[in-house]
């Protein structure tokens, strides 16, 4: 069977995209780049994000059988911030951001702040407490709120970034299309 068959190989085949868009595996220096700094950035960001989430859960605990509003709002607000961050990093129109910004802020802080494990635990707790309707409402509302938040925040951020670009008065600028 060829490497392009159904068996997984050690890496992407010819013409395949790299998993991390910030790394070009065709550039030897990037292929051999040490990952210690990236791992440290993710770990430091994760400690910040998880601590913030834990602090909010202490300030806004869910009573037994109660709807877990804190986790819902943590996940929705974290998704909104992910939408803002990704637009600013990938579409901001400014010079390239620091290479550790996305691992620290996106994967670390916001990955540690948002939480699928607490979402699943809250869902399970509501079911165990006989609150099936609340559990199902929580499951659905969280998905809708999280996806809606990332979409809305990214859309608003795109509009804001486009509206304040340098040289806006002089014409459309690079990469902009006049319609």
């Amino acid at each position: 069977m060829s490497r392009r068959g159904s068996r997984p190989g050690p890496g992407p085949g010819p013409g395949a995209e790299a998993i991390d868009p910030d790394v070009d595996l065709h550039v030897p220096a990037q292929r051999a780049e040490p990952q210690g700094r990236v791992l440290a950035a993710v770990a430091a960001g994760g400690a910040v994000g998880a601590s913030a989430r834990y602090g909010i859960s202490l300030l806004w605990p869910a009573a037994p059988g109660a709807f877990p509003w804190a986790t819902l709002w943590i996940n929705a607000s974290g998704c909104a911030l992910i939408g803002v961050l990704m637009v600013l990093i990938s579409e901001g129109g400014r010079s390239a951001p620091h290479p550790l910004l996305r691992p620290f802020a996106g994967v670390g802080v916001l990955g540690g702040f948002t939480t699928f494990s607490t979402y699943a635990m809250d869902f399970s707790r509501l079911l165990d407490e006989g609150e099936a309707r609340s559990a199902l409402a929580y499951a659905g509302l969280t998905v809708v709120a999280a996806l809606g938040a990332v979409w809305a925040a990214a859309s608003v951020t795109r509009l804001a970034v486009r509206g304040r670009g340098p040289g806006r008065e002089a014409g459309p600028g690079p990469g902009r299309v006049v319609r």
Side-chain angles (χ1 to χ4, degrees), residues 8 10 33 50 52 54 69 82 99 101 107 115 133 136 147 152 161 171 176:
E33 183 177 329
Y54 182 68
W69 288 106
I82 288 169
L101 177 62
V107 179
T115 171
R133 290 175 109 168
L136 292 174
L147 292 175
V161 167
R176 294 190 185 160

Side-chain angles (χ1 to χ4, degrees), residues 49-58 60 68-82 109-116 118 122 138 142 146 149:
S51 296
R53 174 180 28 93
Y54 182 68
I56 291 170
S57 71
L58 291 177
W60 195 5
W69 288 106
T71 306
L72 175 81
W73 288 112
I74 285 167
N75 287 333
S77 64
C79 285
L81 291 171
I82 288 169
V109 174
L110 296 173
F113 184 67
T114 57
T115 171
F116 185 78
T118 303
D122 287 342
Y138 173 61
T142 297

Side-chain angles (χ1 to χ4, degrees), residues 31-127:
R31 205 173 33 228
E33 183 177 329
Q35 297 298 309
R37 292 179 13 178
V38 174
L39 292 174
V42 170
V48 170
S51 296
R53 174 180 28 93
Y54 182 68
I56 291 170
S57 71
L58 291 177
L59 294 171
W60 195 5
F67 196 87
W69 288 106
T71 306
L72 175 81
W73 288 112
I74 285 167
N75 287 333
S77 64
C79 285
L81 291 171
I82 288 169
V84 170
L85 178 69
M86 290 300 109
V87 168
L88 291 177
I89 286 175
S90 63
E91 303 170 24
R94 303 206 181 245
S95 62
H98 191 283
L100 295 178
L101 177 62
R102 190 175 72 169
F104 174 77
V107 179
V109 174
L110 296 173
F113 184 67
T114 57
T115 171
F116 185 78
S117 59
T118 303
Y119 165 68
M121 185 183 70
D122 287 342
F123 179 78
S124 178
R125 179 184 54 81
L126 286 169
L127 287 177

Side-chain angles (χ1 to χ4, degrees), residues 163 165-172 176:
R168 187 169 182 265
E169 297 77 29
R176 294 190 185 160

